[in-house]
Structure formats: C-alpha cells, structure tokens
C-alpha cells in the first residue's frame, strides 16, 4: 500500500475506532451512574486492570499509553472513592503498587464492562458472528504491528478461536 493511501485509511480508522470507543464508554458510564458510582470509563478501565494484579503507576501509564501524572490523578480519585489503595513493596520502598479494595472488587462484580443493550454490542450482533470475528482478528493483526500493541498482546491470551499466522507469531517473538 502506498503511504498516501495508508494515511487516508489511518485517518478513517482513527475516526471510526474513536466513535466505537465512545459508544462502549458511554455504556460503562451509564452503568456506573446507575450503580451510584459516577466513574469515567477510564477509571473503570484502571479498576479492570487492577482486578488481576497490583500495578504501579508506571505500569498502568505504559499499558494505557498515558502520562504518569494523569494516572496519579486518576488513582488519587479512585482512592478517595475507596475503590483502590496504594500499597508498599517491602523490597523497594520507592515502589507503591496500586491494588483494588474490597469496594472496588464489589463494584467490578456488580457492573459489567459490556452489556447486551450496549449500542456496540447490538451493532456487532447485526454484523453476525463470522464478520464480527473477522473484524476482531483484523484488529489483533493491526495491534501486533504496533510496538506497544504487540507488547500488550504478547502478555494477553488470544481468543481461543483466533488463528495466528506465521507473520503474527514472528511479530510476537520479536
């Protein structure tokens, strides 16, 4: 593909993925509001990351592609709400891993990140299973070709029905 064509496609995909993300985030925000916890989708995303392991601000900022100072403010807000807490690392006093509180775990258990009534879910249902899987697989392939995306996907399990090709595997191995 030529560079001008790639730029045009990148701009189109950027616009469309931004809209999809907005639709997904609106659904999360509405469910948070209904649960009495007016959290942003970004705050909810951090809580989701913390449900599996305690993470430092540095790791969270890398995974989210955000400036650490923005993450610190976000964590401060989650701490004030009682949903996350800074811990300490006895081996390294400078390291303060963030972990979920019981209230944070309860909120994640009560509020699903995606629900059947979400506009994006309804749109995917209308696309059908085969085309939805094709879209998902193309997004995985696209992310594997971006260094930060590759690093994140290398640590995450692939969907069981995803079929990686030789190029995908070579990208993951580096």
């Amino acid at each position: 593909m030529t560079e001008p064509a790639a730029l045009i496609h990148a701009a189109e995909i950027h616009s469309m993925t931004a809209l999809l993300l907005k639709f997904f985030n609106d659904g999360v925000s509405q469910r948070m509001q209904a649960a009495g916890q007016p959290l942003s989708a970004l705050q909810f995303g951090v809580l989701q990351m913390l449900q599996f392991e305690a993470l430092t601000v540095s790791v969270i900022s890398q995974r989210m592609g955000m400036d650490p100072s923005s993450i610190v403010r976000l964590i401060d807000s989650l701490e004030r709400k009682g949903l996350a807490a800074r811990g300490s690392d006895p081996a390294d006093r400078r390291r303060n891993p963030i972990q979920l509180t019981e209230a944070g775990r309860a909120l994640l258990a009560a509020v699903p990140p995606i629900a059947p009534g979400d506009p994006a879910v309804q749109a995917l249902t209308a696309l059908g299973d085969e085309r939805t899987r094709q879209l998902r697989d193309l997004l995985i392939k696209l992310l594997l070709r971006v260094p930060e995306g590759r690093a994140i996907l290398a640590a995450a399990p692939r969907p069981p029905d995803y079929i990686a090709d030789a190029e995908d595997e070579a990208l993951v191995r580096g």
Side-chain angles (χ1 to χ4, degrees):
M1 173 182 327
T2 64
E3 187 174 311
L7 287 171
I8 291 168
H9 293 314
E12 293 166 343
I13 292 168
H14 176 265
S15 296
M16 288 182 262
T17 55
L19 277 171
L20 281 173
L21 185 59
K22 179 203 177 310
F23 298 145
F24 279 115
N25 288 344
D26 286 352
V28 169
S29 294
Q30 289 168 3
R31 285 189 292 286
M32 285 289 146
Q33 193 74 30
Q37 278 289 359
L39 295 181
S40 70
L42 192 58
Q43 290 170 315
F44 187 75
V46 169
L47 291 178
Q48 285 185 298
M49 289 172 59
L50 295 173
Q51 73 182 325
F52 301 109
E53 61 184 322
L55 299 170
T56 63
V57 167
S58 174
V59 170
I60 295 169
S61 69
Q62 287 171 353
R63 288 186 184 175
M64 297 190 83
M66 294 179 63
D67 186 77
S69 63
S70 298
I71 298 299
V72 167
R73 287 190 297 277
L74 194 140
I75 297 300
D76 289 345
S77 173
L78 292 173
E79 274 193 306
R80 282 192 300 275
K81 294 173 186 285
L83 301 173
R86 285 180 172 86
S88 61
D89 184 342
D92 184 350
R93 290 179 35 173
R94 297 168 297 169
R95 191 173 177 276
N96 298 308
I98 316 302
Q99 54 197 15
L100 279 182
T101 62
E102 285 306 314
R105 288 193 190 289
L107 182 64
L108 286 178
V111 179
I114 297 174
D118 288 351
V121 173
Q122 293 174 350
L124 291 171
T125 300
L127 275 179
D129 193 49
E130 183 178 336
R131 291 192 331 192
T132 297
R133 226 179 309 200
Q134 289 172 345
L135 174 61
R136 181 209 58 202
D137 291 354
L138 285 172
L139 290 171
I140 290 170
K141 289 180 181 304
L142 180 64
L143 287 170
L144 284 171
R145 282 147 182 86
V146 177
E148 286 181 53
R150 186 168 44 250
I152 292 168
L153 288 179
R158 299 282 183 298
D161 59 343
Y162 177 75
I163 300 171
D165 57 29
E167 189 176 354
D168 292 350
E169 295 302 328
L171 287 166
V172 171
R173 284 191 305 272

